[in-house]
Amino acid sequence: MTLLLLGIGALAAALGTRAAVLLFAGAAVLGALGPALPAAAAWIAATAAGLALLPASPRRLALPALGAAAALGVGTAENTAVILALWVIATATAVATRGPGEGARSWAMALCLADLPVVGAVVWTAFAVGFEGWPMRLDGTAAALVLAAAVLRAPLASGPDDEAPEPGLLVVRTQTVVAVILALSATTNPRSLLVTATLLGAAGFAAGGLSARPATRDGIQELSLVALVIAAARLGWAPAGWEWGALAAGTLMHNLRLRIGQSRASALAGALLVGGGIGLPLLPVVLVGLEGATRADGWIGAGILLGLIGGLAGRASSVGVVAAATGRASRLSVVGTAALIAGIAAGLWAPLLSLQGTPSVGAVGWPPAWATAAVLAVAGLGAALGGAGAGDRPQRARTLGEVRLPDRWAPPALLRATLAFLATGAGAMWVTGILRGFL
Amino acid sequence: MGAPSGLVWIVAGVFTARSVVGARPGLAWGIACLGAGLRWGTLGLADVGVSARLFGPTVVAGAPLVRAGMIAAVVAALVDESRREAATDEGWAGRGASAAAIVALVALFFAPGSADLIPSAATWAIGAGIGAGVVTAARPATRLLPAWLPPGLAAVGVVAAQVAL
């Protein structure tokens, strides 16, 4: 039903009507209640609804929404024969909506190449495990290949450029989340794969924080945290279900980022979004990851900690760069500054509350009235003094450029040939499934 | 409220304050703070305090390699703080964040641990005053060091301590 609503929503978007918002929202609700990949279905559909509310025409969402539905189908289908077809359909919709330019073409080429591990995983599973092995009987080899596909895709989940976020945010992001969930949820996963996934998640969070492009930074960090919390939960280091939190935070961040500059609240939203601390929607998920680090063995816990703190520092370092590059994180209003300072002061005060209680057990009480008054006084004083607005002192932070294929490696003919190869492989798997009596 | 994981909120608060004034967040300081929590297996300030009461302050408790790792981490954090631009250049918000950063280092690495806020605050204030003096005095020398050294040293210290636990 979720996939059907997404499909109808895509049709409504193709017709150019904002009714697509309601259909995508309905798909999000049904997805959350559904049995298969509820977190992914709910928040991808919610992302589509948010994108449909932007001023641009909803027509641009039609194909990516269909691609997202196909990618979600990969997580719900139980017959290996159809997996590759659904996956390649999703990739094809992203490639088709990439927009003009050589940069977009090289992005599409990278996307097609990132499908190769999935091809390997599907073929391996079909012939080594069986056509009915998908997804819960993925063995270690197939799970590692699917995880590799997710790692390769994560940097592409921001889309080819900021003018065309839909193929990235709806299709590639969905594929990556589905790949991560499938790779880490198989019952036969070896522990080493899960440990590797936690470290990859932490490393990805750190690398994402250095990305020069905000959309890429947000996408990589969100998807890295999804991998980290799922693997940590499987290892017993963190509570289960925090992929919901990571995807919810990611959806909020993507929507905020796309709306910066469009409302009076955008300066405050921008300051919270680009910062690496209080107000960052991903922070509660980072906290879960850090709790996991305290339960991990030796250097693994230290590795997780270093990756997560590095990612936060990378974000915090980039605020001046973003302000200088885009001019979007403009000065905060007095109220915005006060709200931001109140958040910071409360964040610094909160740890002291635990000193009065019994450590590790029991509830931590609310702050006394005088402490609340002190936080508000600091906020008011800070706002009155000024000088704490985002981008007051743009700085130069070290960032990584976009990791992308050279344009000369992605001529139009080669892109078409690669896509045709993937489509042929998907068709061959389908035919094989029919010949073997599985379809 | 997240207070049981207070170390994360301290780090996040300082990072946020510094990011909005365009100052470096202080990676080595962040690694050291969370590394101290990791060394005791907690993210709670109160838990670190209890551990310090039972086993001694973080820099003197545990096996030699653990102590060496924690000392390396806190030295790296102090060097990183010392390498910052003069606090007056970071505005009142930056100054506040730097003060909170030094207090946090004292509370996590040097304080003997106390269940009451007032004695703890007094210890932290005295320690922070000494720490601020050390950081300021060392500035001419520490600014000659490469930028990667403090976070690198802090990371090595935390990993070494974890491996030796």
Side-chain angles (χ1 to χ4, degrees):
Chain A
M1 194 62 185
T2 307
L3 302 186
L4 182 64
L5 268 184
L6 264 179
I8 298 174
L11 185 62
L15 294 173
T17 168
R18 302 268 175 206
V21 174
L22 295 175
L23 293 162
F24 290 144
V29 173
L30 287 178
L33 300 173
L37 306 183
W43 291 112
I44 295 300
T47 304
L51 289 172
L53 280 171
L54 288 172
S57 167
R59 285 195 174 88
R60 74 200 186 287
L61 291 174
L63 272 179
L66 276 180
L72 285 171
V74 171
T76 56
E78 294 179 352
N79 193 324
T80 310
V82 302
I83 296 302
L84 198 53
L86 289 169
W87 187 272
V88 173
I89 286 172
T91 299
T93 61
V95 170
T97 54
R98 68 185 185 276
E102 291 186 341
R105 200 169 59 240
S106 77
W107 175 85
M109 189 71 201
L111 194 61
C112 291
L113 293 177
D115 277 356
L116 294 179
V118 178
V119 175
V122 169
V123 172
W124 174 268
T125 302
F127 294 101
V129 180
F131 276 85
E132 293 179 331
W134 197 274
M136 294 312 293
R137 288 176 60 209
L138 288 179
D139 65 6
T141 304
L145 284 168
V146 174
L147 187 62
V151 171
L152 293 173
R153 289 186 114 66
L156 304 170
S158 53
D161 56 53
D162 289 341
E163 302 304 315
E166 295 85 8
L169 282 184
L170 287 184
V171 183
V172 184
R173 178 168 166 249
T174 309
Q175 287 180 311
T176 310
V177 171
V178 167
V180 166
I181 293 175
L182 291 182
L184 300 180
S185 300
T187 52
T188 54
N189 270 339
R191 187 176 186 277
S192 59
L193 181 76
L194 297 173
V195 171
T196 303
T198 61
L199 292 171
L200 281 174
F205 190 78
L210 295 174
S211 179
R213 188 173 153 212
T216 306
R217 179 196 60 208
D218 294 346
I220 293 177
Q221 291 200 320
E222 174 200 17
L223 297 168
S224 299
L225 285 180
V226 169
L228 173 56
V229 295
I230 291 176
R234 290 288 315 276
L235 288 161
W237 297 344
W242 269 92
E243 66 271 20
W244 281 88
L247 289 169
T251 301
L252 176 61
M253 289 169 63
H254 298 311
N255 272 288
L256 281 174
R257 189 184 61 252
L258 292 169
R259 284 167 171 76
I260 288 177
Q262 294 184 5
S263 73
R264 294 180 64 186
S266 61
L268 177 60
L272 297 179
L273 182 64
V274 299
I278 307 293
L280 174 67
L282 289 173
L283 191 61
V285 193
V286 172
L287 199 152
V288 171
L290 288 168
E291 289 281 3
T294 63
R295 298 183 179 91
D297 312 325
W299 66 270
I300 298 169
I304 296 171
L305 181 146
L306 292 175
L308 292 177
I309 192 71
L312 288 181
R315 288 191 76 89
S317 298
S318 68
V319 60
V321 173
V322 173
T326 66
R328 286 173 168 172
S330 55
R331 274 179 184 277
L332 301 181
S333 64
V334 171
V335 175
T337 305
L340 191 58
I341 295 169
I344 296 169
L348 290 171
W349 176 264
L352 302 180
L353 298 175
S354 65
L355 287 180
Q356 305 290 344
T358 306
S360 297
V361 293
V364 175
W366 288 89
W370 64 266
T372 307
V375 167
L376 294 176
V378 168
L381 186 65
L385 289 173
D392 270 5
R393 299 175 63 246
Q395 60 174 324
R396 291 179 186 277
R398 287 184 181 167
T399 57
L400 296 175
E402 290 285 292
V403 178
R404 48 183 287 185
L405 287 177
D407 292 343
R408 66 179 183 281
W409 289 11
L414 185 58
L415 177 60
R416 284 194 296 270
T418 309
L419 207 52
F421 168 76
L422 292 171
T424 305
M429 285 302 299
W430 193 297
V431 170
T432 308
I434 292 173
L435 293 177
R436 291 199 169 195
F438 287 100
L439 281 174
Chain B
M1 290 180 62
S5 299
L7 300 190
V8 181
W9 297 105
I10 292 173
V11 173
V14 169
F15 277 15
T16 307
R18 286 176 169 169
S19 67
V20 295
V21 297
R24 286 189 300 109
L27 177 56
W29 172 81
I31 292 172
C33 285
L34 292 180
L38 194 65
R39 180 258 178 272
W40 294 113
T42 180
L43 296 176
L45 186 61
D47 292 347
V48 174
V50 169
S51 302
R53 275 207 303 281
L54 294 175
F55 303 104
T58 304
V59 289
V60 297
L65 189 54
V66 176
R67 292 202 298 265
M70 287 293 99
I71 289 170
V74 73
V75 166
L78 288 168
V79 169
D80 199 28
E81 290 300 305
S82 177
R83 290 186 71 257
R84 308 187 67 79
E85 292 179 36
T88 49
D89 290 344
E90 293 183 355
W92 63 266
R95 284 198 292 275
S98 292
I102 298 285
V103 169
L105 289 180
V106 173
L108 291 172
F109 285 92
F110 300 106
S114 170
D116 297 321
L117 184 58
I118 301 301
S120 294
T123 309
W124 297 346
I126 294 168
I130 297 170
V134 170
V135 161
T136 305
R139 179 163 291 137
T142 55
R143 297 202 67 149
L144 300 175
L145 299 172
W148 56 264
L149 188 60
L153 180 61
V156 169
V158 169
V159 172
Q162 279 302 108
V163 170
L165 277 174

